[in-house]
Amino acid sequence: MIMKRISMIFFILSILMTMTQCKKDMRVIPTEISESVFINLDVNGGTKADVNTANGIVTFKRYDELYVVSEGKYVGKLNHNGTNFAGEITGAVIDKPLYFYFFGNQRVDDLKLGKSETCSVSVEDQTRGLPVISCGVSEQVYDGEGYYSTFLYNKCALVKFNVISTMSDEYVCINGMNNVVTIDFQTGSFVYGQEDGGVIKMPAGSGEKWAILFPNDEIIEEGADGTAFSADFRYIGKRPSIKKIGINDFITDAYTITLEKANAADGMFALNVEKRVVFAKGNVQYIGGAKNPYWKFADNQYDLLTNIVEQTGDDANISRDRFGWGTGDTPNMVSTSNIDYEDYYDWGKNFPLVDGKEWHAPKCIEWEYVMYTRNATKLNGVYNARFARARITTPENVVVNGVILFPDVYNHPADVKLPEKSSINYTNNNHGATYSDNDYTAEDWQKMEAAGCVFLPAGGQRIVKGGVLGFYNVNEEGHYWSQCDLGNPEHACNIYYTDYRPYIYDTNDKYKGFSVRLVHE
């Protein structure tokens, strides 16, 4: 490299899990001192076999990475070149120790030199390797040149599973597990938790499987049906009861997972790990123009009332399908003062119970689970296919833009084209992609609806703009109220989407007129 630096060969002691230690003489190559320091870490020619499951030993191989921290801040990373670790650190503090972190080559985002004080690592995907997480501190303080060594301590456990799965050749998944660790570089603390439902994904097929699990100081009870599942979510079983897990545990007594039960395609959606619901067949409508006004669900999922001018007035005789927040008892309220919407009355109270269960608007955290967390079926090569942007052409030849929600278990109709991969679980517009990614006729939609799909039409919003109450962004944006006011007297939460991406915790004025879609258990 063309830069001023100190070039040093460092020696690091780094056999993980067994906690053994070895040493080797080091050679210092002095050059001109600058803030950027090139260091070489000799690991005595170590190689790596992911994890030696016969004894739990971890050693290194080419392209492994160590992250370096000084005084609570990230200062650089080192790459293994087949023999040594080598790389640059920038801004290390003199007379302070260096800290080394091995993240099992899991992806780490947003680390900034000299600024980052924390880091989060997920071990969800273990289909191609076992992501051991470990750390160590240098035995000497950093002084710009000299001899350094460390001992890397394992921060997770190696656990054996015995998988019985004669029905599926997909990856094997269990949920309810800690699968993410957040490291505080300032304190050196490790906080273990769950991300996306706490899923651990292991290689496909039956037989002996090994997994890296994070510590848990409580027994994990046996799960319900569906807590173990194939990655395409078509076959399910139960997560076994798992004993307490400690740092550096090496558990060779296998836990048995059996996947043999076909997952029912019942058109339901998980709102959390315990609750599953059915969506209403259409958006909420209030038919104020009838002799005896009444509430109903739209006849079709893509239906939107077109009397948007009338819906800006407070005439009780107007039919409506966009409402201020919590106006299940006052559908014609169009006041632009948020305080007038302080009390929430769910629209679901106007509809008959279903098997003793009430209709209700989802909470924002439940919308998040539906869109970004629940386990769902593999579709067109995309695992956990939860939603896609699309448009439907109605029998009246009206094109309606919106978002399709795929049920937890989904069998796409054989004679309907598959959704485009880039549109499934979309989080950006993929360079100009739009709702027209997926163009479906009314006949196509009828088949998809029969298979359990839900369509949320982009009804826009009734808002004040330029001092005038009117409708904007119809057929461009969708806004659907949740029942969450977030403890704020003037604002509430809604799910908001465009063809660019869905936003779950969009906070907006309660007076605004948004669409409503109800669910029941």
Side-chain angles (χ1 to χ4, degrees):
M1 294 187 176
I2 304 175
M3 63 179 352
K4 295 180 179 179
R5 65 196 182 193
I6 297 176
S7 294
M8 296 177 287
I9 295 179
F10 285 21
F11 171 63
I12 194 166
L13 310 175
S14 50
I15 300 296
L16 307 182
M17 292 188 174
T18 55
M19 304 307 167
T20 57
Q21 192 172 9
C22 55
K23 294 185 178 180
K24 184 175 181 179
D25 292 337
M26 294 175 294
R27 182 168 54 91
V28 178
I29 305 174
T31 61
E32 193 170 348
I33 294 176
S34 72
E35 183 182 15
S36 182
V37 177
F38 186 85
I39 62 177
N40 233 310
L41 294 157
D42 188 342
V43 295
N44 206 22
T47 60
K48 181 178 178 180
D50 289 327
V51 176
N52 186 333
T53 55
N55 53 27
I57 291 177
V58 177
T59 49
F60 293 105
K61 69 175 182 180
R62 185 184 295 272
Y63 307 124
D64 283 343
E65 294 178 337
L66 283 176
Y67 291 78
V68 188
V69 168
S70 174
E71 278 298 273
K73 295 182 179 180
Y74 168 67
V75 295
K77 67 180 178 180
L78 314 176
N79 291 281
H80 199 278
N81 58 19
T83 303
N84 308 314
F85 280 96
E88 293 183 4
I89 60 174
T90 302
V93 179
I94 296 292
D95 292 334
K96 299 294 181 180
L98 297 173
Y99 292 81
F100 302 96
Y101 294 86
F102 181 59
F103 295 147
N105 292 343
Q106 299 301 92
R107 181 175 176 178
V108 179
D109 295 324
D110 301 327
L111 278 179
K112 296 179 174 59
L113 286 173
K115 296 181 179 180
S116 294
E117 299 177 351
T118 61
C119 176
S120 290
V121 185
S122 171
V123 297
E124 175 181 343
D125 189 351
Q126 301 187 19
T127 58
R128 291 176 296 277
L130 294 173
V132 173
I133 310 297
S134 59
C135 70
V137 59
S138 61
E139 295 178 357
Q140 305 84 12
V141 297
Y142 177 70
D143 61 5
E145 62 178 283
Y147 300 94
Y148 299 83
S149 58
T150 192
F151 192 88
L152 295 181
Y153 290 91
N154 182 35
K155 293 292 183 177
C156 45
L158 180 61
V159 181
K160 183 192 286 187
F161 290 89
N162 181 36
V163 177
I164 302 170
S165 176
T166 58
M167 306 293 289
S168 176
D169 58 0
E170 290 285 343
Y171 300 141
V172 178
C173 306
I174 55 174
N175 70 2
M177 310 299 297
N178 289 338
N179 66 351
V180 65
V181 60
T182 299
I183 302 100
D184 185 333
F185 295 149
Q186 290 282 334
T187 62
S189 60
F190 285 62
V191 178
Y192 305 97
Q194 297 183 8
E195 186 175 79
D196 290 344
V199 173
I200 297 291
K201 186 164 64 176
M202 297 179 287
S206 294
E208 180 181 288
K209 313 287 178 189
W210 289 89
I212 293 298
L213 301 184
F214 284 138
N216 196 318
D217 58 7
E218 297 180 350
I219 293 174
I220 301 172
E221 300 294 342
E222 181 184 51
D225 280 343
T227 50
F229 54 95
S230 59
D232 61 2
F233 209 51
R234 296 190 181 279
Y235 299 96
I236 60 174
K238 295 180 179 181
R239 180 193 63 243
S241 175
I242 296 175
K243 297 177 181 179
K244 295 179 182 180
I245 302 168
I247 290 174
N248 200 39
D249 279 352
F250 180 38
I251 301 172
T252 59
D253 292 335
Y255 291 103
T256 299
I257 298 174
T258 303
L259 301 180
E260 60 182 2
K261 185 176 181 180
N263 205 358
D266 54 12
M268 298 189 75
F269 297 75
L271 290 193
N272 56 45
V273 293
E274 297 179 343
K275 183 192 296 185
R276 299 181 73 231
V277 298
V278 172
F279 276 83
K281 68 173 185 177
N283 285 356
V284 170
Q285 294 181 345
Y286 177 73
I287 309 303
K291 182 177 180 180
N292 296 305
Y294 61 96
W295 293 86
K296 63 170 288 193
F297 297 127
D299 293 333
N300 300 290
Q301 298 209 37
Y302 47 72
D303 284 349
L304 291 169
L305 295 179
T306 58
N307 61 337
I308 55 179
V309 174
E310 290 86 352
Q311 287 195 53
T312 61
D314 60 2
D315 188 338
N317 297 318
I318 296 300
S319 296
R320 305 173 186 278
D321 64 351
R322 275 145 283 192
F323 307 93
W325 183 76
T327 52
D329 57 345
T330 52
N332 61 314
M333 183 185 289
V334 293
S335 166
T336 58
S337 174
N338 290 323
I339 300 302
D340 291 338
Y341 299 83
E342 182 177 4
D343 297 324
Y344 178 85
Y345 189 95
D346 200 289
W347 301 269
K349 294 182 181 298
N350 300 294
F351 294 86
L353 300 180
V354 178
D355 296 329
K357 303 291 186 179
E358 287 188 350
W359 290 97
H360 61 88
K363 299 175 182 178
C364 41
I365 195 171
E366 293 172 336
W367 274 119
E368 179 182 43
Y369 199 86
V370 167
M371 302 295 283
Y372 289 113
T373 304
R374 66 191 167 97
N375 303 316
T377 305
K378 180 181 177 182
L379 180 61
N380 199 13
V382 179
Y383 287 103
N384 291 318
R386 302 180 183 112
F387 62 91
R389 56 184 164 226
R391 67 184 191 181
I392 297 172
T393 302
T394 73
E396 295 75 30
N397 209 34
V398 176
V399 176
V400 183
N401 295 328
V403 165
I404 292 173
L405 304 182
F406 303 109
D408 297 346
V409 186
Y410 178 58
N411 297 312
H412 191 73
D415 54 349
V416 177
K417 67 178 179 180
L418 287 166
E420 292 289 336
K421 283 187 178 181
S422 61
S423 72
I424 300 173
N425 298 344
Y426 73 97
T427 54
N428 57 56
N429 68 356
N430 295 303
H431 306 292
T434 67
Y435 293 113
S436 62
D437 281 357
N438 298 305
D439 242 333
Y440 293 116
T441 65
E443 292 75 18
D444 291 334
W445 171 246
Q446 189 175 30
K447 295 171 184 176
M448 294 175 70
E449 183 179 35
C453 288
V454 167
F455 184 70
L456 303 176
Q461 54 184 332
R462 186 185 65 223
I463 61 173
V464 173
K465 188 176 280 191
V468 178
L469 185 65
F471 272 75
Y472 298 89
N473 310 115
V474 175
N475 221 28
E476 297 174 7
E477 300 177 356
H479 292 265
Y480 285 78
W481 280 124
S482 79
Q483 55 178 281
C484 305
D485 67 358
L486 308 177
N488 188 316
E490 296 202 7
H491 300 98
C493 189
N494 73 106
I495 175 176
Y496 154 57
Y497 66 81
T498 66
D499 60 357
Y500 186 78
R501 65 169 299 173
Y503 300 84
I504 304 301
Y505 293 97
D506 184 51
T507 303
N508 243 306
D509 294 298
K510 291 180 177 180
Y511 85 85
K512 293 182 177 179
F514 293 163
S515 303
V516 176
R517 185 64 67 93
L518 303 181
V519 298
H520 76 75
E521 293 184 57

